[in-house]
Amino acid sequence: MFIRKKPNKSGVISVQVIAKINGKSKLIKTIGSSRDEKTIKELTEKGHHYIATFGGQTALDFSDETNLIQSVFQQIDSHTEVGTELLLGKIFDDVGFNVIDDQIFRQLVLSRLTYPVSKLKTSDYLEKYHDLEYPVQQIYRYMDKLHSTQKELVQQISYEHTKHVLGGQVTIVFYDVTTLYFEIDHEDTLRKTGFSKEGKHQNPQIVLGLLVSRNGYPLAYDIFEGNKFEGHTMLPVLDAFKEKYRLDQLVIIADSGLLSNANIEELQEKGYEFILGARIKNEKKQIQEQILALSLKNGESAVIEKDGLKLIVTYSDSRAKKDSQNREKGLQKLEKRIKTGKLTKSSINNRGYNKYLKMDGEINIEIDYTKYNADAAWDGLKGYISNAFLGKDEIIENYGHLWQIEKAFRISKTDLKIRPIYHRAQRRIEAHICISFVAYKIYKELERQLKSLNSKLSPEKAIEIAKTIYQIKATVKGKSVAQILLINDQQKKLAQLFNFG
């Protein structure tokens, strides 16, 4: 059984106890209804208590160990892992994803957080640890439904919840892309070879564009062909997001990979404010001279007017040290390759530190140390291009939050294991990414709630603890009894923190 919070057209939330019977959801009891968040939380707690005692089930009495061993442990009917449902299921409901009345959706999302594997292995996992039967073909059929009817609803739920936790409005968004490769030999209409951020240039891939808010809460996403230039993905995602939620004002923040004259012109034409990372070394000679003439000290910044835009340049000692170290490492690699004779004419290009190479005559390759030394003048400098009606310091501070989207991709690829993707059909690839999007939203809300509860637990650690919490069910003297096993201090503290057990 589980708790469902069902809103009606007037915004009243009904807290219900639902049971899964013969694969269908059945209403067992309506606990109550309210618009007030505090009252809804109290009703939800009553619902969990009702589930714990429903149908004659009673909590086991652990005070009499001899009786417990004789009357219970020898008559156990089942044991299931319940910690992830008690923890992550609560977060799932808090965000509002429970309005999607498909239990298989819930289980696929929670499994992505706890045991991110193929759909076939997910089916086995749910049966083995949660006593739930979802044959893999049923999962595939649901993914088709998710793609065709629920993908937009999922993003809307995420947006509405994010808007709520941010105080009622979303005006600043962050955009970035990543690539997801497939271990296949042949391309199709979606999976194509292109520039891979993972260094898998020989593998067909897709491009994933993600839009997040401050603090890294996911707002929207889309996927594109693997050979699509990342700069051409931003405006479609932005336009769809702005139109869907009828947003008048939006400030978009993105790194220099999304910087192009075409993008800047289109952003301005459509009334967007933007803060983009600038490629200051690629500016015209006049602008470069102005930048190098600034003589900035640690923590200082300056504004240069450029074609009606603000080019903001900052300097940091720590960045200068890192830039210098990276240049030195690059130079050492080049010197080693020249010394061993492994550097040929085919190596000459303008990528990375190869820009320090030059050809003398037909075959003699050497390092241009003059260019290497001149590059030191740029150490520690970073630029931003913007038309935003914000002060210089506000622009720099807002751009500094861009790391949140890099964290989102890192979590998606490592903890949620968004790849490998085992699907071939585009609709199922999109459904898989949709499930991962929801899982990441749950992760971020868990992170937010842990912080608000002043807990030092990370989301990863909380999930790890939850996965160790089991419930046993037994029949004693004709009565069904159940007990959640909170054995160690970590389990007990987590249960107390989130009010379950």
Side-chain angles (χ1 to χ4, degrees):
M1 286 186 288
F2 60 93
I3 299 296
R4 179 172 70 187
K5 298 175 187 175
K6 187 174 182 180
N8 63 18
K9 292 182 180 180
S10 61
V12 175
I13 304 295
S14 177
V15 180
Q16 303 171 339
V17 175
I18 306 295
K20 200 75 170 179
I21 300 174
N22 296 325
K24 296 183 179 180
S25 296
K26 180 179 179 181
L27 175 64
I28 302 299
K29 183 179 178 63
T30 297
I31 304 299
S33 302
S34 178
R35 285 193 180 90
D36 180 65
E37 287 188 17
K38 184 177 179 182
T39 302
I40 292 170
K41 185 176 181 180
E42 292 173 352
L43 291 173
T44 302
E45 292 173 0
K46 289 181 181 179
H48 286 301
H49 177 73
Y50 178 83
I51 290 173
T53 58
F54 174 76
Q57 287 187 359
T58 58
L60 301 179
D61 182 6
F62 278 79
S63 60
D64 185 345
E65 294 182 8
T66 302
N67 180 62
L68 180 66
I69 294 171
Q70 293 177 346
S71 64
V72 178
F73 283 161
Q74 293 180 358
Q75 302 178 64
I76 291 176
D77 297 325
S78 65
H79 70 288
T80 54
E81 187 265 281
V82 296
T84 52
E85 170 60 36
L86 293 171
L87 175 65
L88 300 176
K90 173 187 179 300
I91 305 294
F92 185 96
D93 294 342
D94 289 346
V95 173
F97 288 123
N98 55 337
V99 302
I100 298 176
D101 191 19
D102 279 298
Q103 270 301 295
I104 193 170
F105 171 66
R106 184 189 194 92
Q107 297 305 328
L108 289 175
V109 170
L110 301 194
S111 297
R112 181 56 41 183
L113 284 154
T114 58
Y115 190 61
V117 290
S118 69
K119 302 303 180 293
L120 179 61
K121 289 184 179 179
T122 297
S123 176
D124 294 338
Y125 163 76
L126 290 173
E127 182 177 6
K128 183 176 181 180
Y129 290 95
H130 296 274
D131 200 23
L132 297 170
E133 290 190 23
Y134 290 113
V136 70
Q137 290 303 322
Q138 183 182 353
I139 292 176
Y140 289 152
R141 287 195 297 274
Y142 172 71
M143 292 177 72
D144 293 342
K145 176 183 177 181
L146 174 62
H147 170 259
S148 62
T149 65
Q150 296 172 337
K151 173 186 170 184
E152 295 304 317
L153 176 58
V154 159
Q155 295 185 68
Q156 184 174 348
I157 292 168
S158 182
Y159 168 75
E160 294 294 344
H161 181 266
T162 296
K163 186 172 73 169
H164 172 72
V165 300
L166 291 179
Q169 62 178 350
V170 175
T171 57
I172 296 177
V173 296
F174 301 80
Y175 182 78
D176 203 356
V177 300
T178 192
T179 54
L180 302 171
Y181 70 91
F182 293 75
E183 292 172 344
I184 58 174
D185 296 325
H186 303 291
E187 298 180 331
D188 54 33
T189 56
L190 177 66
R191 298 175 294 178
K192 295 181 178 295
T193 55
F195 176 75
S196 171
K197 291 178 179 288
E198 300 164 294
K200 301 289 184 177
H201 304 294
Q202 73 280 8
N203 293 80
Q205 64 180 19
I206 60 174
V207 175
L208 171 63
L210 179 64
L211 199 67
V212 306
S213 69
R214 293 268 317 239
N215 300 322
Y217 304 132
L219 297 169
Y221 70 93
D222 207 346
I223 66 172
F224 303 89
E225 299 87 349
N227 61 353
K228 195 174 187 70
F229 168 55
E230 63 183 62
H232 294 162
T233 68
M234 180 169 64
L235 267 301
V237 175
L238 274 178
D239 290 344
F241 179 75
K242 187 177 181 181
E243 181 180 355
K244 181 175 183 179
Y245 302 112
R246 300 177 182 178
L247 302 174
D248 295 325
Q249 183 183 11
L250 206 59
V251 180
I252 174 69
I253 301 174
D255 72 12
S256 58
L258 282 301
L259 178 67
S260 72
N261 290 332
N263 269 350
I264 288 177
E265 289 176 7
E266 194 169 357
L267 285 167
Q268 289 178 298
E269 287 173 3
K270 294 184 175 182
Y272 290 103
E273 293 182 50
F274 57 84
I275 304 170
L276 302 175
R279 299 189 183 101
I280 53 179
K281 291 183 184 179
N282 294 345
E283 292 289 349
K284 294 178 181 178
K285 185 176 180 181
Q286 181 184 358
I287 298 292
Q288 288 189 30
E289 290 174 350
Q290 285 182 261
I291 293 171
L292 295 178
L294 291 172
S295 299
L296 299 174
K297 294 182 173 59
N298 185 46
E300 291 183 344
S301 59
V303 179
I304 295 173
E305 293 296 326
K306 179 198 170 188
D307 302 327
L309 301 174
K310 290 179 284 189
L311 175 60
I312 300 168
V313 182
T314 66
Y315 174 82
S316 162
D317 282 342
S318 59
R319 189 186 299 122
K321 183 178 179 181
K322 183 178 179 181
D323 290 344
S324 177
Q325 290 174 342
N326 288 339
R327 282 188 309 104
E328 179 65 26
K329 288 180 182 177
L331 178 66
Q332 290 174 357
K333 287 181 180 179
L334 289 176
E335 290 175 332
K336 183 177 180 180
R337 291 172 68 192
I338 288 177
K339 186 176 181 181
T340 57
K342 294 181 179 180
L343 200 61
T344 65
K345 287 191 290 185
S346 62
S347 303
I348 299 296
N349 53 53
N350 199 34
R351 293 196 297 269
Y353 295 103
N354 285 345
K355 62 189 176 184
Y356 300 137
L357 296 174
K358 68 176 183 178
M359 282 195 297
D360 183 6
E362 290 295 322
I363 58 171
N364 187 30
I365 299 174
E366 61 184 37
I367 295 174
D368 187 342
Y369 287 97
T370 301
K371 190 172 184 179
Y372 170 80
N373 293 326
D375 222 20
W378 297 94
D379 288 354
L381 294 174
K382 185 171 180 61
Y384 317 87
I385 193 79
S386 177
N387 69 340
F389 293 101
L390 298 171
K392 169 170 61 74
D393 294 337
E394 288 179 288
I395 289 173
I396 296 169
E397 193 268 335
N398 275 294
Y399 188 91
H401 291 280
L402 194 59
W403 67 270
Q404 291 279 3
I405 200 166
E406 296 170 356
K407 179 183 177 183
F409 284 136
R410 186 175 67 253
I411 291 170
S412 296
K413 290 184 177 182
T414 55
D415 298 286
L416 304 183
K417 293 182 173 62
I418 194 171
R419 69 152 312 279
I421 302 174
Y422 298 99
H423 306 289
R424 176 184 57 82
Q426 180 170 341
R427 67 184 185 279
R428 290 182 181 167
I429 292 172
E430 292 194 22
H432 170 81
I433 291 173
C434 183
I435 290 167
S436 297
F437 175 87
V438 178
Y440 180 67
K441 173 65 178 180
I442 300 300
Y443 176 99
K444 289 299 296 183
E445 176 59 12
L446 173 60
E447 181 181 66
R448 189 189 71 83
Q449 290 195 20
L450 285 166
K451 186 175 180 180
S452 69
L453 292 168
N454 297 316
S455 172
K456 294 182 180 180
L457 287 175
S458 66
E460 295 88 349
K461 185 62 177 178
I463 293 171
E464 181 184 325
I465 295 169
K467 287 164 65 175
T468 67
I469 298 176
Y470 279 73
Q471 175 180 266
I472 60 170
K473 289 184 179 180
T475 302
V476 179
K477 297 180 181 180
K479 276 192 173 184
S480 176
V481 293
Q483 179 68 48
I484 296 172
L485 304 178
L486 300 175
I487 298 171
N488 57 47
D489 288 341
Q490 286 185 328
Q491 294 171 341
K492 292 173 184 176
K493 287 178 181 178
L494 185 68
Q496 184 179 18
L497 202 60
F498 289 92
N499 196 27
F500 65 78

